[in-house]
């Protein structure tokens, strides 16, 4: 399976997981000139920005380890664009969902602004 297809598979698994936890999926693969956000969801009255990392094996480390400072800054900049575009007025949280060997790890408040 190529990298794009496995990434889409991981995002679909993440969406199913989030729906089972009562998250409302607002956007998938939101893109703008600054970057991409894998999943934008609403949980209670909070906008949740979710980065998904999917790995068939943890041989090269856990997926969440790849969400480094540079990646976080791109996500934050993309979110700022989204907030302005959609006129969002609610608290925001950044989560990471790492799927390694088909095991889901959901890290809430993984990083902040």
């Amino acid at each position: 399976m190529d990298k794009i297809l496995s990434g889409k598979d991981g995002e679909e698994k993440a969406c199913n997981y989030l729906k089972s936890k009562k998250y409302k999926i607002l956007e998938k693969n939101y893109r703008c000139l600054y970057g991409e956000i894998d999943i934008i969801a609403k949980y209670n009255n909070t906008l949740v920005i979710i980065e998904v990392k999917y790995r068939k094996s943890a041989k090269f480390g856990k997926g969440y380890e790849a969400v480094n400072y540079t990646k976080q800054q791109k996500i934050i900049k993309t979110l700022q664009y989204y907030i302005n575009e959609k006129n969002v007025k609610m608290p925001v949280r950044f989560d990471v969902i790492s799927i390694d060997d088909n095991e889901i790890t959901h890290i809430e408040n993984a990083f902040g602004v």
Side-chain angles (χ1 to χ4, degrees):
M1 184 182 317
D2 71 21
K3 192 173 183 176
I4 292 172
L5 285 177
S6 64
K8 296 291 181 199
D9 185 46
E11 288 170 10
E12 195 58 37
K13 287 178 182 180
C15 282
N16 290 336
Y17 166 82
L18 290 165
K19 288 175 188 173
S20 78
K21 301 292 184 187
K22 308 295 185 219
Y23 285 71
K24 181 180 179 190
I25 306 302
L26 302 176
E27 305 257 359
K28 292 193 281 190
N29 303 110
Y30 172 81
R31 294 171 200 249
C32 72
L33 59 123
Y34 298 111
E36 178 185 1
I37 297 172
D38 292 332
I39 300 170
I40 300 173
K42 186 176 177 186
Y43 185 71
N44 295 327
N45 195 34
T46 301
L47 188 70
V48 185
I49 307 308
I50 302 137
E51 176 68 12
V52 179
K53 291 298 180 187
Y54 178 70
R55 301 227 170 128
K56 289 182 188 177
S57 99
K59 181 178 176 182
F60 298 107
K62 298 285 189 180
Y64 60 80
E65 295 172 330
V67 186
N68 59 25
Y69 179 79
T70 302
K71 180 66 175 170
Q72 292 172 19
Q73 294 307 302
K74 280 187 82 167
I75 293 168
I76 290 167
K77 196 162 193 170
T78 304
L79 170 66
Q80 290 168 336
Y81 187 90
Y82 177 85
I83 286 171
N84 288 331
E85 179 185 61
K86 305 287 185 182
N87 197 27
V88 174
K89 303 226 185 289
M90 68 176 69
V92 175
R93 185 178 87 205
F94 296 94
D95 290 5
V96 174
I97 292 183
S98 181
I99 304 172
D100 306 286
D101 294 325
N102 286 317
E103 179 183 327
I104 295 176
T105 303
H106 182 187
I107 303 169
E108 296 179 6
N109 282 319
F111 59 93
V113 289

